[in-house]
Amino acid sequence: MTLRGDFDPTQFDVNNTATYPPTTETDGTQPVYFDADRWNVTGTATFEGLNLVTGGQLFARVTPPPAEGDYWAESRSVYDVPFQSALGGTGADIWTRPMGQNAVYEPTGFYAQNDASGGGWPGPLGRIVADREYHHLSSTDPVKTLIVTDAGPGNGQSVHVRAGATAPGTWNSCGVLLRQANPFTVWQGQRLSLAAGGNPSWEFTIPTGDSVPLDLREGGQRTHYGSHGGSRLSTVAGTIKEGVLNGSGEINHPLQLGIDGYYFLSRTNNGFRWPAATADGSYDNPSSNGYYNGSLEYMRMGVLLALPANFDLETITEPRAKKICRALKYYGAYVVDITSKDWSVFQFSVEDRAIDAAGQWTRSADNADDVAFHNQLHGAILETKAITNNAAGQECSGGGAPIAANLHAPPVTQ
């Protein structure tokens, strides 16, 4: 059979007769399928029953993969959409999987609050803001030395940093730095401080205590996590990247979202749910702005939100808002942090260069395009639902087949 894959005769020699895989179907009488998410280039492999005859790097599965047309592209770069495809369930990554037909959609409790910032913003009360993510993922960028102030993982290592880039060192300045030693691996950390031309530093590397750098080609639980303090969820995945909103491409992955914890998040079960690893430190402190006071028990840190499967994207006419709404419908958004109490603020994780290059994040009431962007997107977010059966081991969020064709992440190109 011809497979999209990594043809590597050095890994499996010709005439290798080892049974692969060793479990499940053993007589070769039923079809065997293979995980396309770990294949990178075209290659050919031949099987007799389950015995490998010609070389190839193959990862077995026992349920059919989607048809060829179900991938949104022939291949992808891990620097744009990292981590393994959600195909295969076990070992899948949450940041690539689409919404499933069995997903259970429940109310979020969202409503338009008073906008405490003033400014006479027209339309629905509320704001769309950006949480700056500082991504440095090019191996052609200058090499600098990472300084971790608590001497944690990555301290003293060589990393790539964009020429002239800066970062403020404030809370929530989450950073991702590509390692020189292996340009597929990164460190993630908080509070990133960087002067133009200088060495980057942050207070601590997250996940805390994880001394193994994260490989952008990985799949599984490690890929879920990063330096968002309120959830410990990823910094490198789920971000709106530079050139996407104003370019020709789509957002083909789940997003990250910050919401008002006081009004909308519950303290039930320590205030968080899978895949989040924690809640905000003050989630149960009623005197703190980080206090969770929401009444819906399933609305906890880490909840996946999505527009209903029957949401009509044609009602969104502003092009940039439509791109985000398409992602919210087909992939959803994980709640990874909280925003300011008493503001109807929804905060997307956005690469810092995308904010600088896209005027919609400035929220200029004098710009008609910005008004349309904010009003239409804010109105759509109020219609999102919580996916209450989102769980590990699903190929699609909520289970079942994808809600539309061409949603699965294609093989990674390296």
Side-chain angles (χ1 to χ4, degrees):
M1 64 180 74
T2 299
L3 305 171
R4 292 168 53 156
D6 184 352
F7 183 62
D8 185 4
T10 63
Q11 181 150 347
F12 293 106
D13 293 336
V14 173
N15 298 322
N16 181 343
T17 58
T19 299
Y20 194 87
T23 59
T24 312
E25 303 175 44
T26 59
D27 60 4
T29 59
Q30 298 182 33
V32 177
Y33 302 90
F34 301 93
D35 253 341
D37 55 10
R38 300 192 187 185
W39 304 341
N40 308 308
V41 297
T42 300
T44 301
T46 302
F47 267 70
E48 293 179 358
L50 289 180
N51 294 324
L52 185 64
V53 175
T54 60
Q57 185 178 4
L58 306 174
F59 296 81
R61 52 187 273 123
V62 295
T63 56
E68 190 76 10
D70 282 351
Y71 298 110
W72 51 260
E74 284 299 307
S75 61
R76 62 187 162 102
S77 167
V78 292
Y79 305 109
D80 295 327
V81 181
F83 307 133
Q84 293 293 349
S85 167
L87 289 171
T90 302
D93 179 69
I94 63 171
W95 299 111
T96 60
R97 70 186 190 184
M99 295 301 304
Q101 294 179 14
N102 294 344
V104 176
Y105 296 78
E106 297 290 352
T108 61
F110 289 163
Y111 59 92
Q113 304 158 251
N114 290 326
D115 184 354
S117 68
W121 190 245
L125 295 175
R127 301 180 65 194
I128 304 296
V129 299
D131 182 16
R132 290 178 182 265
E133 308 282 286
Y134 298 88
H135 288 194
H136 298 264
L137 296 175
S138 174
S139 60
T140 63
D141 284 337
V143 175
K144 302 293 181 179
T145 301
L146 173 61
I147 301 168
V148 184
T149 54
D150 70 354
N155 184 48
Q157 290 195 8
S158 296
V159 294
H160 293 279
V161 176
R162 293 195 317 272
T166 62
T170 55
W171 190 252
N172 274 347
S173 56
C174 299
V176 183
L177 301 173
L178 191 70
R179 298 172 66 241
Q180 183 189 31
N182 181 340
F184 292 115
T185 59
V186 298
W187 293 115
Q188 302 175 86
Q190 265 258 40
R191 311 174 182 180
L192 177 63
S193 178
L194 176 63
N199 289 317
S201 66
W202 55 47
E203 291 187 20
F204 38 84
T205 301
I206 304 177
T208 305
D210 190 344
S211 60
V212 179
L214 182 64
D215 194 312
L216 299 176
R217 301 163 297 181
E218 283 188 39
Q221 183 170 317
R222 288 188 75 235
T223 66
H224 301 172
Y225 303 120
S227 56
H228 277 282
S231 62
R232 291 294 188 264
L233 287 174
S234 178
T235 305
V236 68
T239 299
I240 297 174
K241 305 282 278 185
E242 180 191 27
V244 172
L245 289 187
N246 294 318
S248 59
E250 296 289 351
I251 302 171
N252 293 306
H253 56 78
L255 298 172
Q256 297 182 352
L257 191 64
I259 67 174
D260 188 323
Y262 181 82
Y263 287 101
F264 303 131
L265 292 183
S266 167
R267 300 186 302 279
T268 302
N269 292 338
N270 299 313
F272 68 97
R273 59 179 296 157
W274 184 91
T278 189
D280 286 274
S282 57
Y283 83 96
D284 59 351
N285 180 358
S287 64
S288 168
N289 282 339
Y291 183 57
Y292 296 1
N293 197 40
S295 60
L296 300 175
E297 292 187 355
Y298 51 79
M299 284 290 291
R300 305 193 299 277
M301 182 62 70
V303 65
L304 178 64
L305 309 180
L307 285 168
N310 63 357
F311 180 84
D312 185 2
L313 290 172
E314 296 306 310
T315 62
I316 307 298
T317 59
E318 204 287 324
R320 298 163 299 179
K322 178 173 280 190
K323 285 191 178 185
I324 294 176
C325 288
R326 178 187 176 278
L328 289 173
K329 175 177 178 175
Y330 292 122
Y331 297 94
Y334 285 97
V335 174
V336 299
D337 257 321
I338 60 172
T339 59
S340 300
K341 179 182 174 183
D342 296 328
W343 286 12
S344 182
V345 172
F346 297 100
Q347 178 174 270
F348 289 95
S349 295
V350 183
E351 187 181 6
D352 63 318
R353 293 181 296 175
I355 300 172
D356 296 338
Q360 70 272 12
W361 300 112
T362 64
R363 189 174 176 264
S364 169
D366 297 326
N367 186 315
D369 289 338
D370 284 355
V371 171
F373 173 85
H374 282 269
N375 287 353
Q376 291 184 26
L377 184 52
H378 186 270
I381 291 172
L382 296 181
E383 296 189 42
T384 59
K385 306 295 182 183
I387 309 305
T388 56
N389 65 337
N390 185 47
Q394 298 171 337
E395 290 189 3
C396 298
S397 298
I403 63 172
N406 306 315
L407 297 182
H408 281 287
V412 168
T413 55
Q414 299 179 7

